[in-house]
Amino acid sequence: MNDALDLAARVASGDRRALARLLTWIESERPGAREALAALYPRTGRAHIVGVTGAPGTGKSTLVSALAAAARARGRSVGILSVDPSSPFTGGALLGDRIRMMDHIADRGVFMRSMASRGSVGGLAVATGDAIRALDAAGCDLVFVETVGAGQAEIDIARAAQTVIVVEAPGLGDEIQAFKAGILEIADVFVINKADREGAERAANALKAMLDLGNTMKQRRVGRGADLSAATLDASGHHAPGGTGAHAAVASGEWRPPILKTVAAEKRGIEAVLEALEAHRTHLVESGEIVLRERERAADDVQRSLGRALIRRALEAAGPARVEALIDAVAARRIDPRAAVDALLDARLDAGQEGE
Amino acid sequence: MTQQPKIRVLIAKPGLDGHDRGAKVVARALRDSGMEVIYTGLRQTPEMIVEAALQEDVDAIGLSILSNAHMALFPRVVELLGAEGRRDILLFAGGIFPDEDVPEIKKLGFRGVFGPGSDTREIADFIRAEIAARG
């Protein structure tokens, strides 16, 4: 058995050291990572993948920490991936999410890994999808993925996760600012954290109002295919009154994201969030949407992997000197960027033919 | 397009003192030199530090201590790393240590001991050189 398959076998048996090492291989794009992940892939698909996103300071890490503790109390094993930004200038990163997670560190049922975004935008690292699969294969029942937290355009998490929690907190700006376009649409569960602060009720109400408006959109999710049309609207265009609790899925069978209040630092309101996560997972399974999402996720994975593979192959086939020369030519306006791409792709094809 | 191997460093404060400025300065300096730094905050037990190092699969652990409890806490960290088969992780220490303790700390396996006034660039260079030597 080679190193990669040996590592995969150890990850599958629940070896924490092996899992940690596989995550390093994934992040550094070691060739063995691909082989190990391929061996582990059939074991994946069991974990409930929960994304947690929201602006900095809303308490994402503290919430994840409290949710992990509550899930552990129910006997579930937990994996946590926390993504923090890398400096675009030095490539370095300060990963501080563990500060709020150290409660669980003695508990072998929780595995947490800090990931630097390493130049990726969209709230996750390039390697996050594979890292999720590694934790899934290692037997985690629940995997929490905490995004960078720019609060905007973090749509990658909607693809990577089955259930997305959007965390807000009162007092971080006016409510409209907090619920910018893009962040509303990806939420399956809203959490107003720090709900003991002034303005929590106002934030919840503003959110509820925006959600009612948002429901009139023909399609709530870009590319997910789920038609969340205005099935619950009455003729006047007003939303039928509904609860804001964990059981707020509307009668038509569509999921209406509940708005839940927590004080994560005091572990208040956490059980209701955990129940909403379970309810959403049940909804996905019973409605069949989980199959659609899984297919979307697979399509996205294949497309991204294809893109990376093609770029790598094209650059390797052309060689650094040729690449630099083409870049110089584009910069000097001798050729246009598309011509440079054509030249690189031709080089790749030529090299491919020589190899066969 | 393969990622440059990134140096990952855990900066932790074992023991009960609450003075974390030095640890934070070092954490930031290492980040600014291009490393990925996992900072775990105050009052960590040796068990917490070793478990974090294991899960994060770090190349180096820097322990900052100002409470003079180093001769109680450092050997425990080394022992736990040994039990996990991770004595390969580079260890270094920062803080205020009596001169006579420094050889003892080094004997435990700490390759670098940095007292007050250490140049943060020196610490980054030290880590880089040690990691390079290990291949």
Side-chain angles (χ1 to χ4, degrees), chain A residues 16 24 95 98 102 118, chain B residues 36-37 44 51 56-57:
Chain A
R16 287 148 45 254
T24 301
L95 310 169
R98 272 199 106 88
M102 293 308 270
R118 297 195 180 181
Chain B
E36 292 183 355
V37 182
Q44 304 294 303
E51 185 63 27
E56 300 287 356
D57 197 19

Side-chain angles (χ1 to χ4, degrees), chain A residues 68-322:
Chain A
R72 285 300 298 143
R74 295 183 180 196
R76 319 276 302 277
S77 61
V78 177
I80 301 169
L81 294 172
S82 279
V83 188
D84 270 328
S86 296
S87 160
F89 303 108
T90 66
L94 193 49
L95 310 169
D97 292 324
R98 272 199 106 88
I99 294 173
R100 290 160 198 92
M101 308 274 184
M102 293 308 270
D103 291 5
H104 319 298
I105 204 70
D107 179 359
R108 296 259 162 122
V110 178
F111 187 101
M112 181 198 169
R113 181 70 169 229
S114 314
M115 296 184 89
S117 61
R118 297 195 180 181
S120 178
V121 291
L124 300 180
V126 171
T128 304
D130 284 340
I132 290 171
R133 246 116 35 226
L135 290 172
D136 188 351
C140 293
D141 298 319
L142 255 171
V143 176
F144 291 103
V145 183
E146 185 190 337
T147 72
V148 167
Q152 294 172 37
E154 300 212 331
I155 49 172
D156 284 359
I157 192 64
R159 285 277 162 75
Q162 294 157 343
T163 303
V164 176
I165 302 176
V166 171
V167 189
E168 296 292 355
L172 288 179
D174 72 77
E175 291 82 4
I176 306 300
Q177 184 74 7
F179 308 126
K180 280 196 173 172
I183 203 81
L184 273 180
E185 289 85 340
I186 63 169
D188 300 301
V189 175
F190 285 101
V191 169
I192 311 276
N193 191 34
K194 307 187 183 181
D196 52 344
R197 291 195 183 173
E198 195 193 328
E201 195 60 41
R202 200 164 59 236
N205 286 337
L207 183 51
K208 185 174 176 298
M210 293 194 74
L211 213 54
D212 290 343
L213 283 174
N215 254 19
T216 62
M217 283 185 300
K218 186 67 185 160
Q219 209 167 328
R220 195 165 66 86
R221 274 168 215 295
V222 180
R224 264 185 176 168
D227 184 1
L228 299 178
S229 57
T232 59
L233 291 180
D234 62 28
S236 64
H238 290 101
H239 197 281
T244 53
H247 307 291
V250 290
S252 66
E254 300 291 2
W255 178 261
R256 181 179 160 93
I259 302 166
L260 304 171
K261 296 196 200 103
T262 61
V263 184
E266 296 170 12
K267 298 190 160 55
R268 278 158 57 193
I270 299 304
E271 285 296 323
V273 179
L274 211 55
E275 274 159 30
L277 298 179
E278 302 264 353
H280 185 250
R281 166 89 165 180
T282 304
H283 163 79
L284 289 178
V285 172
E286 287 177 355
S287 66
E289 196 186 332
I290 199 154
V291 180
L292 290 176
R293 287 200 185 196
E294 203 42 30
R295 196 159 189 304
E296 293 278 349
R297 203 267 311 150
D300 192 56
D301 264 3
V302 169
Q303 199 169 334
R304 281 168 196 255
S305 298
L306 178 65
R308 286 202 297 277
L310 284 176
I311 289 171
R312 189 167 54 239
R313 281 190 198 177
L315 294 178
E316 278 170 10
R322 177 97 177 108

Side-chain angles (χ1 to χ4, degrees), chain A residues 102, chain B residues 12-19 40-46 48-49:
Chain A
M102 293 308 270
Chain B
K13 271 200 62 67
L16 297 175
D17 76 272
H19 307 285
T40 61
L42 293 168
R43 300 189 182 88
Q44 304 294 303
T45 65
M48 291 158 105
I49 291 165

Side-chain angles (χ1 to χ4, degrees), chain A residues 302-348:
Chain A
V302 169
Q303 199 169 334
R304 281 168 196 255
S305 298
L306 178 65
R308 286 202 297 277
L310 284 176
I311 289 171
R312 189 167 54 239
R313 281 190 198 177
L315 294 178
E316 278 170 10
R322 177 97 177 108
V323 174
E324 293 302 320
L326 285 166
I327 291 170
D328 287 342
V330 174
R333 301 286 192 282
R334 287 198 300 277
I335 59 172
D336 71 294
R338 292 298 301 268
V341 169
D342 285 343
L344 284 171
L345 290 176
D346 288 346
R348 191 190 70 81

Side-chain angles (χ1 to χ4, degrees), chain B residues 40-120:
Chain B
T40 61
L42 293 168
R43 300 189 182 88
Q44 304 294 303
T45 65
E47 285 77 8
M48 291 158 105
I49 291 165
V50 170
E51 185 63 27
L54 195 80
Q55 294 185 1
E56 300 287 356
D57 197 19
V58 293
D59 304 294
I61 302 174
L63 299 179
S64 163
I65 199 161
L66 292 151
S67 64
N68 213 28
H70 48 276
M71 290 320 288
L73 295 167
F74 286 0
R76 180 75 182 138
V77 170
V78 172
E79 182 192 334
L80 289 168
L81 281 173
E84 295 287 356
R86 287 309 311 268
R87 286 290 300 274
D88 59 307
I89 297 174
L90 170 66
L91 290 171
F92 62 101
I96 300 169
F97 309 107
D99 287 344
E100 63 269 26
D101 285 355
V102 172
E104 292 297 313
I105 295 169
K106 290 202 162 166
K107 209 185 289 174
L108 280 170
F110 284 76
R111 301 278 298 165
V113 180
F114 300 93
S118 297
D119 185 341
T120 54

